[in-house]
Amino acid sequence: MARANVEKNCLPLNATLKEVMARTNEIAGDIIFIVDSTNALKGVVTDGDVRRAILNGVALTATADQVMNTSFTFARENTDHTAQLAMLNERIRFIPI
């Protein structure tokens, strides 16, 4: 994902699940980066996280911080590209940098 497109994938901690779903639909993707007021990455929400939350009775008005994954894989900007690629697998398809 190009750096310029990352902003489209970001929503604040207080975004509702409905907003997360709408943004996921808008970007035709399956991951949303949840950021705080300083744009620091705090968690990620995938389309699967939203589906599981809804199936478990979580309301669409619940906030992203209630369902986000805070144990996500990430890389630092200075991480070698080969090392970044090695992090990808069936379960990990995106690596925030």
Side-chain angles (χ1 to χ4, degrees):
M1 177 180 319
R3 178 171 241 142
N5 294 331
V6 170
E7 281 188 23
K8 293 179 183 179
N9 287 64
C10 295
L11 284 174
L13 289 163
N14 65 350
T16 64
L17 286 188
K18 185 174 181 179
E19 292 170 323
V20 171
M21 288 174 54
R23 182 64 60 87
T24 302
N25 189 57
E26 178 186 312
I27 64 171
D30 58 5
I31 190 166
I32 299 296
F33 303 119
I34 305 302
V35 298
D36 67 12
S37 60
T38 65
N39 279 335
L41 181 60
K42 295 299 180 180
V44 297
V45 179
T46 66
D47 58 343
D49 294 328
V50 173
R51 280 194 310 272
R52 284 185 290 279
I54 292 169
L55 290 172
N56 287 322
V58 176
L60 291 177
T61 55
T63 55
D65 63 340
Q66 295 174 319
V67 299
M68 70 183 184
N69 177 357
T70 57
S71 298
F72 53 91
T73 299
F74 66 95
R76 305 240 182 247
E77 281 189 89
N78 61 351
T79 303
D80 178 68
H81 185 67
T82 304
Q84 292 172 7
L85 291 175
M87 295 173 160
L88 298 173
N89 59 39
E90 292 175 4
R91 202 176 134 271
I92 300 171
R93 296 177 296 171
F94 300 96
I95 302 173
I97 298 174

